[in-house]
Amino acid sequence: MIPSNACQIMLVEDDPGDAHLISSALRMSRDIIFDVIWVTHLAEAKIKLEKQLPQVLLLDLSLPDSSSIKTVEALLKEAHSIPIIVLTGHENNELALQALTLGVQDYLVKGNYDSEALIRSISYAISRNQLEQRLAETGSQLRTLINAMPDIVCFKDAEGRWLEANTFDLKLFQLENVDYRGKKDSELAEYQTFYKDAFLACEASDEATWQSGAMLRREETIPRPGTSPLIFDIVKVPLFHEDGRRKGLVVVGRDITEIRKAAERQRLATRVFETTGEAIVVSDATPRIVAVNPALLSITGFKEDEVLDKDPLKFCFGLHSKDFLRGVLTCLMTKGLWNGEMFCSRRNGEVFPVIQTISTIKDELGNITHYTAIFSDLSDIKRAQHTADRLSWSDPLTNLANRALFLKQMEQTLEQAYRDGHFANVLLIDIDRFKSINEVRGMDMGDDLLKSVAMRLEQCMKPNDLLARLDSDEFAILQKNTSSDIKNAMREAAATSERMRATLREGIILNGETFYLDICIGINLFPKSSTETAIDVLREADIALNQAKAKGEGQTVIFESALSEAIIERFQLENELRLAISLNQLKVYLQPQVNAAGQQVGAEALVRWPHEKRGMVFPNLFIPLAEASNLIIALDRWMLSEVCQLLAKLEQGNRGLRISVNISPRHFDQADFVEKVIQIMKTTGVNPAHLVLEVTESLVINDINEVAEKMSSLTALGVHFSMDDFGTGYSSLSYLKRLPIQEIKIDRSFIQDILTNASDAALVETIIAVAKHLNLRIVAEGVETKDQADFLNTLGNVVHQGYFFGRPEPVESWLKNFN
């Protein structure tokens, strides 16, 4: 083991006597144990240095293979950082200066030093070498640290010339490839003209710093090409010699752009918080109120110290049920936001409505730290709305419903009557000779008479009927639910007509004068179709009323088309279809889909209606009927449920394959479409990958983004979508690309003439080419011959569906044939 006080020396000396004297002198040291390696030639020294590095190298300049200063130069290359002490027998000041300039630690002349001086020179050389290494290491660490700083760091000399700059500074001013050292800012401006103004301003600022004699701190804006400038907090520290002469300048700058932006945002936020007319409540996660704005105090009447540190729910929102508040909290936890109407209380106890938005504020870890509630007082709006509603829905003279309310109620009655299979009536009433009474007795008497007529007519109505004043002397009655039998509905309308006529003939006494009145009545029964509107019903009733007035006083006319057998038949068929769906009287039929090898790879589900009296009702009769009303939604969902149950049964028997079911655009447009499909799949336990939903191209006339979102929600679960009747509607490559469609079905109209019509053949070939390019499955409908199938197979991998491979058959029969 080498002692801690040992020092290894390499002595390069060709004279044995001198080598002996030097070694002896070193052995005299009491503090350091010297281990001397003696070599006589420069070449030998180089070889030794390659294997072993001593702590000090003692060098004689006169060697057999080298002499003078060349010896120093040669060993400096080999010795790396090892300190070198020259030992020479010739005192030569010029040579000594050259050696020292090159980097040797000391220059000793033999015979002019003793043992102690030599040992001291070696010790100093070692110490200086260690210090230089530590300084070099510290400098390197300092340089690394400065370069790692995301700030401007620059050192300048007394003339303002750049000495050193860190990486950030050079990159900021695009000086990475510029020899910046020794140049002033005004000189660097010639290299980077974009920053010319910044460099010149910096030079002026440097001079101001030296003039002040103290640290200068200021904000400077530095431009950037193609983007917004940066704001820096610049600190400049002047350095001076002891005699006051300038020594240098240290420049440090920190980017405070985001800090300034944040401060500005904070200023604006504070200003908005204090001046907005909406009330703002900020609470912590407890929740306890930590801040409110002046608007809240103004709206509620509370003082700030009465609000702070209070539970906001108890403070002013504790007017709702626990279930309601639990729903608000659940929404905040899942979505981070809730908005809607609530009730709040003022300091005086008054309860008032607000429209409110509550949101959560989270930290970097996603934990809720605060809640914010912003609300507006709806009191004035609600009062105005109530007044407007009252004025917009009522007749100011009689307080009866007006035309707008009557039409609104009619629309609702139309929908309900159509859904429930009942008839409703509209009776339009016109007072005979009222114009003459108004002209002779005056408008005031006429108004009083109208009020009295309104009271008499109300006495003739049933509780669910609606009486309205539509015009001057024109009244209307809506009988909402009379009977499912049209004759009974007509009798109800006729009976009401007679009651009204009888009560008015009894006379109305006003100011001692008796008025005996009669009326003309126009009656219209509805609904007659699913497309009928309230305006249509009222227009037809008006036609009947005009016919009654044309016949003379006291007449009643029923609108003729209400007796149309075709309309009644259509209405009756809709009612029977509604009943058939609810009683599960429809049947699912399946038509096979086969590949080119004749193997069944799927099937399409079709609906049939075996009617107990009408026989088999085919889809071309009842599907349009369902499409014209909301029945198609119930029909679609029934089919979807039946198909999913069938698929689940097949999967249990390891016989799974794809079955497609048609989806109506009206059904697809429903807000809960995706939710209902998922619910049916969960209930039946079907594998979504076996379910194919066929949609038509008419979907794309709606909001394609909404359509794509609904499709994507289901395809993410594994459901497939097929574009039915492709080529007959709004065919477009753009929607094929945007929608998650896995399959297209070529319409049968193109297949039937594919062998005889060149246009159809070319169109089919194009469709198949597009489908292959988009990696879509292709199904051809209406394949009825082998030649058609063969032709399609030459064009690509096509799945066939048509009478040639199988007709639609009941599920029971299809299951027997399906292996």
Side-chain angles (χ1 to χ4, degrees):
M1 179 178 292
I2 300 175
S4 59
N5 61 342
C7 177
Q8 192 174 67
I9 303 293
M10 179 178 285
L11 174 61
V12 186
E13 172 63 62
D14 63 329
D15 187 327
D18 287 343
H20 176 72
L21 289 174
I22 293 170
S23 297
S24 298
L26 293 176
R27 282 196 294 271
M28 294 176 66
S29 173
R30 291 174 295 180
D31 299 322
I32 303 174
I33 301 173
F34 289 99
D35 177 21
V36 180
I37 302 171
W38 177 36
V39 296
T40 59
H41 290 71
L42 177 62
E44 187 181 359
K46 289 181 178 181
I47 294 172
K48 291 282 186 181
L49 288 172
E50 289 178 359
K51 299 178 181 178
Q52 188 176 9
L53 294 177
Q55 289 174 271
V56 178
L57 199 152
L58 301 180
L59 176 64
D60 182 14
L61 295 183
S62 299
L63 299 174
D65 54 352
S66 179
S67 63
S68 190
I69 201 67
K70 292 182 179 179
T71 307
V72 175
E73 292 174 343
L75 278 183
L76 280 172
K77 293 179 181 180
E78 304 293 333
H80 303 290
S81 60
I82 301 172
I84 298 175
I85 298 175
V86 172
L87 302 177
T88 180
H90 304 284
E91 187 172 355
N92 187 328
N93 291 335
E94 184 179 350
L95 182 61
L97 182 60
Q98 282 184 303
L100 292 171
T101 302
L102 287 175
V104 300
Q105 294 289 332
D106 207 348
Y107 188 94
L108 301 177
V109 179
K110 297 175 183 178
N112 291 347
Y113 62 85
D114 56 15
S115 174
E116 185 177 344
L118 176 61
I119 294 171
R120 185 170 57 251
S121 178
I122 293 173
S123 298
Y124 287 167
I126 293 173
S127 297
R128 282 195 298 271
N129 182 255
Q130 291 174 344
L131 178 61
E132 287 173 358
Q133 287 182 353
R134 285 197 295 271
L135 287 174
E137 183 177 349
T138 301
S140 176
Q141 292 172 346
L142 184 60
R143 162 62 66 180
T144 301
L145 175 62
I146 291 174
N147 279 331
M149 293 174 62
D151 302 317
I152 292 174
V153 179
C154 182
F155 302 95
K156 298 179 180 180
D157 66 10
E159 302 300 324
R161 290 185 290 263
W162 287 43
L163 299 176
E164 291 290 340
N166 70 338
T167 303
F168 180 87
D169 195 4
L170 298 177
K171 187 175 181 180
L172 177 66
F173 291 102
Q174 299 181 2
L175 296 173
E176 301 101 315
N177 299 318
V178 175
D179 183 10
Y180 65 89
R181 292 181 178 86
K183 294 181 176 62
K184 296 184 178 182
D185 288 281
S186 54
E187 294 176 285
L188 292 174
E190 301 303 319
Y191 290 90
Q192 295 293 349
T193 56
F194 179 82
Y195 297 101
K196 184 174 182 179
D197 292 341
F199 279 127
L200 296 179
C202 184
E203 196 168 88
S205 175
D206 291 350
E207 183 60 32
T209 303
W210 271 313
Q211 292 290 340
S212 70
M215 183 186 78
L216 180 67
R217 184 172 188 172
R218 56 182 289 177
E219 288 186 10
E220 294 185 8
T221 300
I222 299 176
R224 290 187 297 168
T227 184
S228 57
L230 297 176
I231 303 172
F232 279 83
D233 178 20
I234 301 294
V235 175
K236 296 189 176 184
V237 181
L239 305 175
F240 297 93
H241 292 286
E242 291 182 359
D243 59 3
R245 289 180 297 111
R246 296 179 182 181
K247 185 177 183 180
L249 187 70
V250 179
V251 182
V252 180
R254 172 153 294 181
D255 183 358
I256 59 170
T257 308
E258 292 304 320
I259 296 175
R260 286 290 173 265
K261 288 181 179 179
E264 179 63 15
R265 288 194 295 269
Q266 180 64 35
R267 187 187 69 80
L268 291 174
T270 301
R271 183 63 177 162
V272 171
F273 183 81
E274 293 175 346
T275 61
T276 182
E278 294 181 308
I280 302 176
V281 180
V282 181
S283 60
D284 59 22
T286 310
R288 293 286 172 181
I289 296 174
V290 296
V292 294
N293 70 336
L296 178 129
L297 304 177
S298 174
I299 291 172
T300 64
F302 285 100
K303 297 178 181 178
E304 189 173 31
D305 59 357
E306 296 174 323
V307 174
L308 294 179
D309 203 38
K310 299 293 190 301
D311 184 342
L313 295 178
K314 295 180 180 178
F315 154 60
C316 61
F317 300 118
L319 305 170
H320 296 270
S321 67
K322 290 183 179 179
D323 288 341
F324 177 83
L325 296 176
R326 192 178 296 113
V328 173
L329 184 60
T330 299
C331 191
L332 287 172
M333 294 300 102
T334 56
K335 299 180 180 179
L337 181 72
W338 180 90
N339 54 23
E341 291 189 16
M342 296 182 76
F343 288 102
C344 187
S345 59
R346 305 189 204 276
R347 191 172 186 270
N348 61 10
E350 178 190 350
V351 176
F352 64 101
V354 298
I355 182 71
Q356 180 165 217
T357 298
I358 306 175
S359 56
T360 59
I361 298 176
K362 298 181 179 180
D363 60 18
E364 297 81 359
L365 300 177
N367 300 315
I368 295 176
T369 60
H370 293 84
Y371 298 93
T372 62
I374 303 174
F375 66 84
S376 299
D377 186 351
L378 293 180
S379 300
D380 293 338
I381 295 175
K382 289 291 185 181
R383 282 191 290 268
Q385 188 178 37
H386 177 74
T387 302
D389 286 345
R390 183 175 57 80
L391 293 175
S392 62
W393 298 118
S394 65
D395 172 51
L397 177 65
T398 63
N399 285 326
L400 297 177
N402 62 8
R403 179 182 291 270
L405 179 57
F406 192 77
L407 286 171
K408 181 179 179 182
Q409 292 285 330
M410 278 184 64
E411 287 288 0
Q412 295 174 359
T413 303
L414 259 171
E415 182 179 346
Q416 184 176 355
Y418 196 82
R419 183 177 64 248
D420 297 343
H422 287 84
F423 286 101
N425 301 325
V426 167
L427 292 80
L428 282 189
I429 305 150
D430 185 83
I431 303 173
D432 294 337
R433 297 181 295 106
F434 176 77
K435 185 177 181 181
S436 299
I437 297 173
N438 210 30
E439 290 175 351
V440 174
R441 298 292 189 269
M443 293 183 63
D444 290 342
M445 180 66 79
D447 288 346
D448 291 341
L449 185 60
L450 289 172
K451 294 177 186 178
S452 298
V453 169
M455 289 188 290
R456 291 288 183 91
L457 295 179
E458 282 185 306
Q459 297 171 6
C460 303
M461 294 165 49
K462 291 184 176 181
N464 290 331
D465 294 348
L466 176 68
L467 175 62
R469 180 181 177 227
L470 304 187
D471 206 348
S472 174
D473 63 328
E474 185 174 284
F475 294 84
I477 293 177
L478 174 62
Q479 295 181 318
K480 299 182 180 181
N481 191 350
T482 55
S483 173
S484 58
D485 182 86
I486 191 168
K487 293 182 180 179
N488 290 336
M490 290 173 60
R491 280 194 289 269
E492 176 68 25
T496 303
S497 300
E498 291 307 313
R499 287 197 301 271
M500 291 189 295
R501 188 167 280 118
T503 190
L504 292 176
R505 284 174 178 172
E506 291 176 358
I508 297 175
I509 301 174
L510 292 174
N511 296 332
E513 185 175 359
T514 303
F515 295 89
Y516 298 96
L517 304 175
D518 212 337
I519 53 178
C520 283
I521 303 173
I523 301 174
N524 190 18
L525 279 69
F526 67 92
K528 296 181 284 296
S529 74
S530 60
T531 59
E532 195 172 20
T533 66
I535 295 295
D536 296 332
V537 175
L538 198 59
R539 176 177 51 78
E540 292 169 351
D542 192 55
I543 292 173
L545 176 61
N546 289 331
Q547 291 175 350
K549 290 193 294 185
K551 289 183 177 182
E553 296 180 4
Q555 299 295 316
T556 299
V557 171
I558 299 175
F559 186 68
E560 290 294 334
S561 67
L563 304 178
S564 168
E565 292 186 3
I567 293 175
I568 295 173
E569 170 66 16
R570 178 184 176 89
F571 183 72
Q572 188 66 37
L573 189 62
E574 285 191 36
N575 289 335
E576 293 173 5
L577 178 58
R578 183 178 291 105
L579 186 63
I581 296 172
S582 64
L583 297 180
N584 203 31
Q585 293 175 346
L586 303 178
K587 296 293 181 183
V588 176
Y589 276 51
L590 294 172
Q591 186 174 27
Q593 296 175 340
V594 304
N595 59 19
Q599 298 171 326
Q600 185 171 181
V601 293
E604 180 179 3
L606 305 166
V607 64
R608 296 292 185 266
W609 181 12
H611 197 285
E612 60 179 359
K613 295 180 180 179
R614 301 175 185 268
M616 183 63 75
V617 183
F618 289 96
N620 61 345
L621 180 61
F622 68 84
I623 291 296
L625 200 64
E627 285 280 7
S629 68
N630 283 335
L631 277 179
I632 193 63
I633 298 172
L635 179 59
D636 267 13
R637 289 176 180 172
W638 179 86
M639 276 290 288
L640 190 58
S641 179
E642 292 292 311
V643 169
C644 285
Q645 290 180 53
L646 173 60
L647 282 171
K649 181 179 178 181
L650 291 172
E651 290 160 9
Q652 290 174 2
N654 294 322
R655 298 192 295 170
L657 85 167
R658 290 183 179 180
I659 296 181
S660 60
V661 59
N662 287 278
I663 298 297
S664 164
R666 179 174 290 197
H667 183 200
F668 188 92
D669 286 343
Q670 297 300 302
D672 63 349
F673 171 73
V674 173
E675 178 185 342
K676 290 296 183 183
V677 173
I678 294 174
Q679 180 181 342
I680 290 172
M681 291 193 299
K682 286 184 178 179
T683 302
T684 58
V686 69
N687 179 356
H690 289 148
L691 179 62
V692 180
L693 302 183
E694 291 190 11
V695 295
T696 61
E697 298 175 66
S698 59
L699 282 181
V700 299
I701 66 175
N702 299 323
D703 184 350
I704 193 168
N705 292 326
E706 182 180 349
V707 172
E709 183 179 352
K710 287 184 177 180
M711 285 187 173
S712 297
S713 297
L714 291 174
T715 54
L717 300 176
V719 176
H720 295 265
F721 276 91
S722 173
M723 186 60 69
D724 197 13
D725 300 336
F726 187 79
T728 63
Y730 305 89
S731 300
S732 169
L733 290 179
S734 63
Y735 78 70
L736 279 181
K737 182 179 179 181
R738 293 180 62 183
L739 299 179
I741 298 169
Q742 291 83 25
E743 174 183 289
I744 59 173
K745 297 189 76 173
I746 305 173
D747 187 66
R748 67 180 66 250
S749 62
F750 301 124
I751 302 300
Q752 63 185 8
D753 295 327
I754 195 173
L755 301 176
T756 58
N757 188 311
S759 297
D760 283 355
L763 184 57
V764 169
E765 185 174 356
T766 301
I767 292 173
I768 292 175
V770 170
K772 288 197 296 185
H773 180 73
L774 297 176
N775 295 319
L776 299 177
R777 190 171 184 254
I778 310 162
V779 178
E781 291 185 298
V783 181
E784 299 181 354
T785 68
K786 183 177 184 303
D787 291 341
Q788 290 173 341
D790 291 342
F791 180 79
L792 289 168
N793 289 334
T794 63
L795 300 179
N797 185 16
V798 178
V799 175
H800 306 285
Q801 180 180 337
Y803 288 172
F804 180 71
F805 296 99
R807 293 176 177 271
E809 56 183 333
V811 170
E812 297 78 11
S813 303
W814 179 84
L815 284 172
K816 292 178 181 178
N817 298 326
F818 175 59
N819 295 319

